[in-house]
Structure formats: C-alpha cells, structure tokens
Amino acid sequence: MTSGTIVQSNIVTMGDCGLNFGGGQDNLITDNVAVNCKVSLNLSSRGVDSFARVNAEKGRDSNQFRLLLRDESLFRGDLWRTRYPRLLAPLEMDPIDAQNAHLNTIRRNVNVGGGALVVRNAKKVMRTCTVEDNVDFFEDPGFVDLASLDLRLRTDASLYAALPDFQAPDFARMGLYDDPGRASPAVKFGPHVSPLSPIMSPEARAEAERPLLVSVPAGDRAIRIDGAVGASEWGTADSQATAVLSVARNGTQEPLPSRVWLRTDEAHLFVAFEHAIAAGKAPTAGSEWGRDDGVEIVLGPARDERLPNRLEAIVLRGYANGTLEVAEGGLSLPSSTKAREAIRYAADGSRKGRWTAELAIPLAAIGLSPGETNFPVFCHVTVRKASADQWITWRRRWSLDPSDAKCACALWLAQFGPLPFMPGIPASAIRIDVQADRSAEKSSMAPGEGADAPDWAVKWNRLVATFGTARADRWKPCRFEFTPLEDATVQLELMGTQSPAGGLLAWTYYDDFRVEGAELVNGDFEEPAQNGRSPGWNCVMEKQSEGAGQDRAAVVELGDQAASGRYAARTSHDHRINQRIAIRKGQKVVVSFQARAALPGM
C-alpha cells in the first residue's frame, strides 16, 4: 500500500498481477505495459470492504488517521502542501469511507494478452478516482521483436493508434547492467534467459496451459530394453499409443520429428523413442544436455486437480550414446533410491538416419502406487537434436524449467482404472438444494442431518446440502434430511461447481436417488424418455456420456459406469436438473444418492 507515488512507464511480464495496488491514495499510474499477466492491473481498497475492516471502522481512531493527525501541523506546512496537495484530503471525508483507495489516477496503461484491469470496491472509489484510456491487446501491439524479447515499440506500432499520447517505457535501459560490483557479467533479456509465452486471450492461454490427457495402454507383449524399437514389441508407428513430437520452441513444426510410445505393466512405465536426424549426420557421442543429442522426459504425479507452481517430479535425460541421467525437478518425490536405481535405459544408433531408445521406469520411482490410487502423471518430453540445432517438444511450452506444470501432458495409466480427477479441470462439487416458495413469510423446512440453512438461504426459503467434491474413479454415497414445517411443494435442485464466466465447466454425475417421506419419480434415471425428456426431471436424455463439454445439463448414458442401471444425471451449479416433490408437515424427508465427478474424455 502506497500513497502519493508515480508509477510510470514500466513493463511487467508473466506475473500473477502485473501492477498490484493494495490500497493507498493519490497515486499516478500511467503508461505501463503488462504482458501475459493473469491480471494486468489491480486496485483494491484494503478499506471497510476488505480484511482491514476492523481497523477501518474505527474511523479517526484507526491507525492511518492517528498517524495523519499526529503530524497534521507538519503536513500543513508549505513544502508538504506543495509536494502532496491531497495528503490531507481524508480529513474532509467520512472517516470510514476515507480508508478506501480514493483519488488515484490510472491512465494509458496497456494490457497485452492478460486479464483486464480490476478496480475493487468500484462503487465507492470511482467517485474520486480517474480510470481512463486503458486498453487491452490480445495480439502483438507493435513490439520490435517479441520472440527475442525486444519489447521496444516500433514507430508504427498499433498501440499508438489506440493511445496516441502513450509514453513508451525506455526498454533499452531496463534489466541488469555491468558494474564493478557485479560478480558475473550482466545478462540482458532474451529467449534463452527469460522466455515469453505467446500473446493470446486469457481464455486461450488457460486452454493452452491445461494438461492434455494421454491414455497409456497396458503392454500386450514383452519389452526388452535394448534400445531397438521394433513392431514386435511396440506395434506399428501409426498405432494409437504413438505420439509425434515435432513442435519447436517458437511453435513452428520441425521437419525432422521424433516419436514416442508408452506402455505399462503391473509395475513399470515403458517408453520408447525414435529420433529422425538430418541426412548425412550422425548423433553426437557425448552426454551433455543441450550440447549433445538426447531426450528428456519429466514425470511426476498429480496429487489433486490444481496445477502446481512446481512439479514434484523425476527428470530423466537419455543420450544417443546410451548414458542416462536421473535428477529431480522442482519438489522432491517420495520415491526410494532402490526404485530409481532400477530404471533401465538403452539407445541404438545402428539404423541410418535415426537413433532409438527405450526406458523401463518402475512406477515406484515416479512416486506411484496405482493399485491404491491411479493418479494422473504430469509428463513433459523434450528432444535435443544437436546436429540440426533443434529443440522439439510434445506440446509447445512457455518455460524452459522442467518442473513447470503448464502445457504438460497428463498420462492416464488405463490398466489401473479411471482417474480420480484431471489436473486443470475444476473439482466437481456435490450440492443439492431444496427450494420452497420464495415469497413465503416464514421457512417451510427445518434442516436436519446433512442439510443447512445459511442466512442467505433462509431469506429465500431454501435448504442447502453440500458434500465436498466428488472423484471420478468412484461413486460417493451421500445423505441428508429435513423436516417440513408446513404442507408444501418444493423443488429438488441437482447442482455442482460454480464456474467463473468464460471458465471451464466442471460437471457432476448424480444417480441412485432414494427418498423417504416423500415421493420422487425416476430416482435412478432409468425410465424411458418421453418426447426426448427424462420422466420426472426437467431435462433431456442423451445417448452418450461425452456431453461433458456441452453447455447443458442432461441425463446421459454411462453404461456399466452408472451407480444404478445405465443412466445418470450430469449437472453443474448453473446447469441444473430439478424435480418438484410434495412434502407434508412434520413428515421427515430423507434423501440419499450417489455422486461422481464427470471428466471429459473418460
């Protein structure tokens, strides 16, 4: 929190928040550029509407006013009044409202490929703040050379068309500089020092950074780790378990691709590689990463659906000469030294125009016990082809750090059953609401075990039953009860996770409803559709479960994955399935059901 400060002509890249002002007044914030930041600029009050409420409500007895009043005579002097003419403005304001972020000017700031400017508590602070001429770009606004991190603006930059008076930052002066006091030479910006992700909308970025699900089948034949990749062990090159690696660091397609195969048995993950090399060239004979031909595979379990800041992973680097390096990436894995020592690697360069390699990795070396929980596995693959000076990856990545989870693949070891969750996909909340007549003057129901009536719900004559989150690898039994205080008709609402506007929808499956004390129709969703709709429920029926990406609730066919029969309901917070039921005064109603997470692609 700062006041009376000028923040001008800065460039911030790839931050959670480019410019963050947690309170303060009379700041001048102009001509700044935020590139690929989750939020480009944030102004919040830290006033009566935030965590500082207890202090702010003290008004003139608050810490801020005490300091201001203590030195009021000093601040009324000519020097202070000249330099900070609005320093004493809070004395003319309501002492509680004065705690908010008033009198700030936010002008001519540029958001490039990030989240829009945010002003918290806007209803109060916008009466005194000036926020104008701030623009968003979701493409290059006219940098000299974005790929090489030369963020000077060209004279013909489109940014100037939007903001003719923009005062460009002096990029040439930014960054480290040589000085006798430095222990090492100054390194300026550049693609191999601080790579910058491409400019795109926040929605497109979230999609690009979300892990890509890759199903890994069980091996159906013995695999000998000798470096020779053959069809008798791995199948044909166009089999479903093969992936082509051809993405260069700048996102273009390299002409000499590599291939990767993945298999499992009860205790191992097997990986095979085939690397094409330029005509007349041979792979290098050394084992130094970056200088020599090699492949890096990063593997780490996803412990929940969130994308971690750093992976808990193992990093394996295998070279064309048969050497294998084993290291940790990011956080340490809880795997034994014995399991790591059991990793086997071999390479074969006998075939003209290519070299191949094979890996056998004990699942314990990755920190996995899939017989207990089949966690998805974060995976990055990077190929170095030194003779062609190529860096090739499975997916385009923004970071050179092996432990960065963004843009990873997520391996599903299919032989061990369904995944419990998918990293990057929001958790599936379990929530059932019971809605009575909202116009009633008093509550129609009293919550019992498993149900609740928070203050906001009491006003709406509503009950809420929440049961945490569901997993995708098992059904979770749930139960709640309530007692009617009058005869009424209420609506049972099947809900779930509330997703932000434009965000990825998270779906929850519901099945096997049983109600005591009232009559529910078609509680297991098995009754045949009538005019395309599920009897008893206000929704359609679909002959598929792959509707999880569609923007509507439905009854879908899950086959033997359903908790009861073959059908289940699929809902979210804003895409609900409802049924009206009659309740009788004093007759306790008990609702039981099962819930499970719905993952796309599974």
Side-chain angles (χ1 to χ4, degrees), residues 156-467:
D156 64 344
S158 56
L159 187 155
Y160 290 124
L163 296 175
D165 296 327
F166 183 76
Q167 303 297 309
D170 190 353
F171 182 72
R173 295 178 57 198
M174 294 181 176
L176 303 177
Y177 56 90
D178 287 316
D179 184 90
R182 287 191 56 84
S184 60
V187 179
K188 280 294 213 180
F189 308 104
H192 299 296
V193 178
S194 49
L196 186 65
S197 59
I199 295 170
M200 59 183 72
S201 69
E203 295 77 17
R205 185 177 311 284
E207 179 65 26
E209 293 180 351
R210 189 175 298 121
L212 175 68
L213 182 65
V214 176
S215 177
V216 179
D220 57 359
R221 40 194 116 179
I223 296 175
R224 179 183 177 188
I225 305 301
D226 57 6
V229 178
S232 61
E233 293 178 321
W234 297 96
T236 61
D238 59 352
S239 67
Q240 290 184 345
T242 307
V244 176
L245 282 63
S246 60
V247 181
R249 281 181 171 173
N250 63 2
T252 61
Q253 296 291 311
E254 292 285 10
L256 296 173
S258 293
R259 293 181 183 273
V260 59
W261 291 256
L262 298 130
R263 302 284 191 278
T264 57
D265 67 10
E266 293 79 4
H268 297 84
L269 172 66
F270 296 98
V271 189
F273 301 98
E274 181 183 78
H275 309 294
I277 55 180
K281 300 286 187 178
T284 59
S287 52
E288 180 180 328
W289 184 244
R291 188 193 68 182
D292 293 301
D293 288 74
V295 60
E296 175 188 85
I297 183 168
V298 182
L299 298 164
R303 301 298 187 186
D304 56 40
E305 68 280 348
R306 296 170 296 179
L307 285 181
N309 289 328
R310 293 179 67 78
L311 292 179
E312 179 186 89
I314 189 171
V315 181
L316 306 176
R317 289 172 177 160
Y319 296 92
N321 67 0
T323 302
L324 178 67
E325 296 175 354
V326 182
E328 289 182 345
L331 304 176
S332 298
L333 272 173
S335 57
S336 67
T337 301
K338 183 177 180 181
R340 296 191 182 197
E341 291 175 347
I343 298 173
R344 290 174 287 147
Y345 174 78
D348 180 2
S350 63
R351 296 175 61 188
K352 186 176 180 180
R354 66 195 64 244
W355 67 278
T356 57
E358 294 174 305
L359 269 166
I361 308 164
L363 297 176
I366 315 173
L368 294 175
S369 300
E372 299 173 7
T373 300
N374 189 20
F375 289 116
V377 181
F378 287 112
C379 178
H380 291 304
V381 178
T382 303
V383 179
R384 175 57 172 163
K385 299 187 179 183
S387 60
D389 193 22
Q390 292 179 347
W391 292 92
I392 299 176
T393 57
W394 198 336
R395 301 180 67 197
R396 186 182 182 186
R397 299 180 57 205
W398 321 145
S399 173
L400 305 181
D401 182 356
S403 67
D404 192 327
K406 293 188 288 292
C407 309
C409 292
L411 305 184
W412 169 23
L413 309 185
Q415 84 172 82
F416 300 106
L419 298 176
F421 53 82
M422 176 65 186
I425 303 293
S428 299
I430 306 172
R431 174 176 167 180
I432 307 290
D433 284 16
V434 185
Q435 179 67 63
D437 182 3
R438 289 184 62 168
S439 64
E441 295 183 356
K442 59 181 181 179
S443 297
S444 302
M445 306 164 289
E449 182 180 354
D452 192 16
D455 290 344
W456 67 266
V458 171
K459 297 176 183 178
W460 291 1
N461 200 11
R462 188 178 184 92
L463 297 181
V464 179
T466 59
F467 302 89

Side-chain angles (χ1 to χ4, degrees), residues 26-30 86 103-107 109 129-131:
D26 196 23
N27 295 298
L28 179 63
I29 307 160
T30 68
R86 292 195 283 189
L103 303 169
N104 291 292
T105 297
I106 303 174
R107 180 185 290 124
N109 297 285
C129 289
T130 299
V131 181

Side-chain angles (χ1 to χ4, degrees), residues 444-448 463 481-486 583-589:
S444 302
M445 306 164 289
L463 297 181
E481 58 187 53
F482 64 94
T483 301
L485 303 178
E486 62 182 5
I583 57 176
R584 297 289 178 261
K585 181 179 180 179
Q587 175 64 59
K588 183 170 72 173
V589 178

Side-chain angles (χ1 to χ4, degrees), residues 5-14 17-21 28-35 37 40-41 107-112 143 151-153 159 166-175 189:
T5 300
I6 297 174
V7 182
Q8 185 175 28
S9 297
N10 298 283
I11 300 177
V12 183
T13 63
M14 299 178 69
C17 187
L19 296 161
N20 188 23
F21 297 88
L28 179 63
I29 307 160
T30 68
D31 302 292
N32 299 287
V33 181
V35 184
C37 296
S40 58
L41 192 154
R107 180 185 290 124
R108 291 195 310 272
N109 297 285
V110 181
N111 164 40
V112 181
F143 294 126
L151 301 187
R152 294 174 297 164
L153 287 168
L159 187 155
F166 183 76
Q167 303 297 309
D170 190 353
F171 182 72
R173 295 178 57 198
M174 294 181 176
F189 308 104

